Amino acid sequence: MASKDLLQYSTESPDISSDVTVSYRKLWKDEAKRSRVAKKQDRLKRDANPSNGKWELTVGIEIHAQLNTDRKLFSSKLRMKSVRSFKKLTNIDAATSMGATPNSNVAPFDLALPGSQPIFQKEALIPALRAALALNCNIQHKSKFDRKHYFHWDQPAGYQITQFYEPFAKAGQIILYDHDGIAPEDGEQVTIGIKQIQMEQDTAKTVHYPPSTHALDFNRVSYPLIEIITLPEIHHPSTAAACVRKIQAILKSVNAAVIGMELGGLRADVNVSVRPYDLLKENHSTGNLGQRTEIKNLSSLKAVEDAIIAERDRQIAILEAGGIVKGETRGWTIGGTQTRKLRSKEGEVDYRYMPDPDLGSIIIDKGLIDHLRTNLPALPDEILQDLIDKDTYDVLRKDAKTLMALDDGERLIYYEEVVGYLQTELKDIKTSIRLGRIASNWVLHELGGLLSSSRLSWNDNPLSARSLGDILIPLVSKEITGSTAKQLLLYVLTGDNRPIGQIIKDEGLALRPLSSEEYRELAQAVLDENPSLVKQIQKKGQAGKINWFVGQLMQRGGEGRVEAEQAEAVLRDILGISIK
């Protein structure tokens, strides 16, 4: 069957005339490695300051994240699932509805209809508090809502309800490490302060139809948002992207905001300024920062990094030419190379902030804060440390980060279920301490690779965690070979519903190991038939070709009789090549 495609060792005759025989798998891996290195070098090149270190970049970030709630921020108890026409608007409230028909989930207050008033939904406070606690903020006992006045078609009331004067959380911080992807200049870690976190309502969604038509979807009005405002303490574009990435991961881990940038649930605005390093030497405070510009509505991590680089370079070019950077709100187009002016930057006075007279103060009880802090889910740094700890899972760092990042955490949950099952079933086996690493390899690379090659998503995975565990148990117990375990994966993925143990029995897949003498006899026979390859290995040092011989032993030894590791060890012993 198609399981030959899964073998790590090639069984096809190599090109003996060539100095080097390389499998397609190795070519693919080498190309992937070159691509990663090239991308990293390109990022470092773009990240670098173009003016020989004469200018310091400073970035502050404002992150807008949709809270994980069923209600809008100012619509009361839901009475209907959705609104299909404006005729049904009377006394109807609205819940959040990602992907709903445009303008089908709208409350009177969302349209600023006369007589409608906001009713604060206290349920929205819980995920907001979890987010603030996860970001090490001080929760304020009392907070209030304010009106931020401006006129735009996406805000029918003429103002947005936010928390300007008295936000519910202040003075937090986030620590970024080198493995988070910060710039090398930042060292092993950097701490970014968080000025405040405030709740606010979202605006309508604008859909542009070229050349000049704009359609409005009011479903999104009053979606509950938190705005996370960092201090201007970021000095490298890659560190800014790492900050957004980590905050997004933290919000997901505590179930505060589960819809990421890729689906529009999180957006970032960046405030960018530059100043000469000479000025920095005179005053280390942030009080003498250069004139900042704000880039709005960045919807991907790459957009965050690219927009900062483009704006930094634009400002430096202006200043070095003797010009003046103007305070502006600017935009960014994905795939572009330059930021574009949207409007002159409004000062705080222009927004005419005022307390909202229709909303009272929010009083947060200390007991609630203590309860949420005590029951806060594990944060990404804690999960990562647990995965790589040798006394727990012992997963490679890169694999641990991949497990955490894939499939909105579903892959990690699956992995933990596999390991838990293995630890229960194999508790008496001495090698059980390595089960975490073995399971991560199969969850990520073997099973994950098969799903990808079959064009199946993780949600389409037919293999339960227990079933994968049932495949790994005989593998760890040396009752089947690695290639047989891969065959079992194929059986299940192609619709075989038999228990794993039954498949092994019915198909005769149990390992019937060769004796040491049989290994040596088989290896010697294969080597004697291919003297040219033996010469290339021994004389030219092309040890990689041993893999072809391993494949030959596995093919000739019969299904389920040859272990790749044992075959390679015997071949190396006969050839006099040391084991890696």
Side-chain angles (χ1 to χ4, degrees):
M1 60 188 298
S3 60
K4 286 184 179 179
D5 296 336
L6 296 174
L7 296 179
Q8 182 176 357
Y9 301 96
S10 172
T11 58
E12 302 204 1
S13 178
D15 181 7
I16 297 177
S17 63
S18 172
D19 286 339
V20 180
T21 300
V22 184
S23 67
Y24 282 113
R25 178 171 179 171
K26 186 175 188 305
L27 286 172
W28 178 81
K29 289 174 67 177
D30 290 345
E31 179 60 30
K33 182 178 180 180
R34 283 193 293 270
S35 177
R36 288 195 301 270
V37 170
K39 287 180 179 179
K40 182 176 181 181
Q41 291 176 341
D42 180 62
R43 180 177 65 80
L44 293 174
K45 182 178 178 181
R46 291 185 301 111
D47 201 38
N49 193 314
S51 297
N52 298 320
K54 293 192 303 182
W55 300 90
E56 183 197 48
L57 167 72
T58 300
V59 177
I61 306 176
E62 299 170 7
I63 295 175
H64 305 264
Q66 289 181 8
L67 291 172
N68 185 26
T69 64
D70 292 330
R71 309 284 177 189
K72 293 189 176 184
L73 191 57
F74 299 116
S75 294
S76 61
K77 183 178 179 181
L78 180 66
R79 299 189 185 121
M80 290 186 63
K81 195 67 178 175
S82 63
V83 179
R84 293 295 175 183
S85 69
F86 289 122
K87 294 180 181 179
K88 300 178 182 179
L89 276 172
T90 306
N91 296 323
I92 290 175
D93 309 300
T96 55
S97 55
M98 291 292 290
T101 302
N103 297 309
S104 65
N105 203 32
V106 186
F109 178 74
D110 300 336
L111 297 175
L113 295 182
S116 62
Q117 288 188 316
I119 302 175
F120 175 65
Q121 301 301 295
K122 60 183 179 181
E123 293 86 351
L125 186 60
I126 302 302
L129 288 173
R130 286 200 299 264
L133 291 171
L135 293 170
N136 304 295
C137 291
N138 295 326
I139 308 299
Q140 307 303 297
H141 174 64
K142 179 181 178 181
S143 61
K144 293 182 177 181
F145 285 107
D146 306 299
R147 292 182 179 181
K148 176 183 179 181
H149 292 87
Y150 66 93
F151 294 97
H152 198 262
W153 59 61
D154 63 3
Q155 188 60 269
Y159 61 85
Q160 179 190 29
I161 300 178
T162 182
Q163 291 185 309
F164 181 73
Y165 292 112
E166 298 184 50
F168 78 97
K170 298 180 180 179
Q173 66 175 28
I174 181 172
I175 301 176
L176 306 175
Y177 299 94
D178 49 4
H179 60 256
D180 290 319
I182 62 176
E185 295 87 345
D186 283 324
E188 294 183 356
Q189 69 179 65
V190 60
T191 300
I192 308 300
I194 294 174
K195 178 183 177 183
Q196 65 188 53
I197 303 179
Q198 58 203 42
M199 285 185 289
E200 61 185 28
Q201 62 176 156
D202 207 346
T203 58
K205 179 180 179 181
T206 303
V207 181
H208 177 58
Y209 294 98
S212 58
T213 300
H214 293 81
L216 292 175
D217 179 7
F218 288 91
N219 283 348
R220 202 177 70 179
V221 174
S222 283
Y223 269 21
L225 301 178
I226 51 172
E227 181 177 3
I228 303 166
I229 304 174
T230 76
L231 293 173
E233 297 176 340
I234 300 171
H235 302 292
H236 302 282
S238 57
T239 301
C243 183
V244 176
R245 182 190 301 111
K246 190 160 189 177
I247 288 177
Q248 178 174 253
I250 289 173
L251 296 181
K252 284 186 177 181
S253 70
V254 298
N255 202 29
V258 296
I259 302 174
M261 298 185 91
E262 67 280 0
L263 294 176
L266 187 145
R267 307 186 297 276
D269 304 336
V270 293
N271 294 286
V272 180
S273 67
V274 297
R275 62 175 171 177
Y277 270 109
D278 291 342
L279 182 62
L280 176 63
K281 293 176 183 177
E282 296 173 8
N283 190 331
H284 290 274
S285 72
T286 59
N288 289 332
L289 293 176
Q291 174 62 57
R292 66 183 175 91
T293 57
E294 183 179 25
I295 308 171
K296 301 285 287 185
N297 291 327
L298 300 174
S299 58
S300 72
L301 297 171
K302 188 175 187 302
V304 169
E305 190 168 353
D306 289 348
I308 292 172
I309 291 170
E311 182 59 16
R312 175 201 64 188
D313 295 350
R314 185 189 75 87
Q315 292 187 19
I316 290 175
I318 290 174
L319 294 171
E320 289 187 339
I324 298 175
V325 175
K326 297 179 180 179
E328 296 173 334
T329 298
R330 303 184 67 85
W332 175 259
T333 301
I334 293 177
T337 58
Q338 293 181 333
T339 61
R340 66 186 188 281
K341 180 179 178 180
L342 298 178
R343 56 186 177 271
S344 297
K345 186 66 179 176
E346 296 177 88
E348 293 175 0
V349 176
D350 293 330
Y351 287 123
R352 293 176 292 128
Y353 286 100
M354 59 169 282
D356 193 301
D358 295 328
L359 291 165
S361 300
I362 300 173
I363 307 299
I364 303 174
D365 183 71
K366 183 178 182 299
L368 174 60
I369 298 172
D370 292 341
H371 172 77
L372 292 175
R373 180 181 283 113
T374 301
N375 294 280
L376 200 67
L379 300 179
D381 285 341
E382 298 168 346
I383 297 172
L384 178 63
Q385 187 58 44
D386 196 36
L387 287 172
I388 66 176
D389 193 298
K390 294 186 181 297
D391 294 328
T392 50
Y393 294 102
D394 193 25
V395 178
L396 296 174
R397 185 183 293 275
K398 64 176 182 178
D399 286 346
K401 293 182 67 177
T402 304
L403 279 171
M404 294 168 60
L406 289 175
D407 309 304
D408 288 326
E410 292 298 321
R411 189 80 64 105
L412 178 59
I413 294 173
Y414 182 91
Y415 164 77
E416 290 173 338
E417 291 175 353
V418 171
V419 175
Y421 180 65
L422 290 176
Q423 289 175 337
T424 300
E425 298 297 316
L426 297 171
K427 57 186 176 182
D428 297 327
I429 294 183
K430 294 181 180 179
T431 57
S432 62
I433 193 65
R434 302 280 293 179
L435 291 178
R437 183 170 295 192
I438 294 170
S440 70
N441 178 63
W442 281 81
V443 170
L444 285 175
H445 306 300
E446 304 300 347
L447 175 57
L450 268 179
L451 291 173
S452 296
S453 63
S454 302
R455 297 184 178 180
L456 295 174
S457 69
W458 184 255
N459 291 333
D460 298 322
N461 174 26
L463 192 69
S464 68
R466 180 165 185 158
S467 294
L468 180 57
D470 286 336
I471 292 175
L472 297 181
I473 286 171
L475 176 65
V476 172
S477 304
K478 301 293 185 182
E479 296 171 7
I480 61 172
T481 64
S483 60
T484 299
K486 295 173 185 178
Q487 277 187 271
L488 291 171
L489 281 182
L490 272 180
Y491 275 111
V492 177
L493 291 181
T494 53
D496 197 319
N497 295 320
R498 290 175 293 172
I500 299 300
Q502 191 66 42
I503 297 176
I504 294 174
K505 181 179 179 180
D506 293 347
E507 304 299 330
L509 298 178
L511 176 64
R512 303 178 303 280
L514 299 176
S515 66
S516 298
E517 293 75 14
E518 288 175 318
Y519 265 113
R520 293 191 72 85
E521 289 177 6
L522 184 60
Q524 190 64 60
V526 175
L527 291 171
D528 289 344
E529 293 172 8
N530 297 275
S532 297
L533 274 178
V534 172
K535 183 178 179 181
Q536 291 177 32
I537 293 171
Q538 291 181 321
K539 302 297 184 181
K540 297 184 180 181
Q542 297 176 7
K545 292 184 177 180
I546 292 176
N547 290 349
W548 181 80
F549 283 111
V550 172
Q552 291 297 303
L553 263 67
M554 295 177 71
Q555 187 181 60
R556 298 188 187 190
E559 189 64 50
R561 300 205 67 193
V562 176
E563 295 181 85
E565 296 82 359
Q566 180 68 14
E568 182 177 356
V570 171
L571 286 165
R572 287 180 175 274
D573 181 57
I574 295 174
L575 293 169
I577 306 295
S578 61
I579 298 177
K580 298 177 182 178

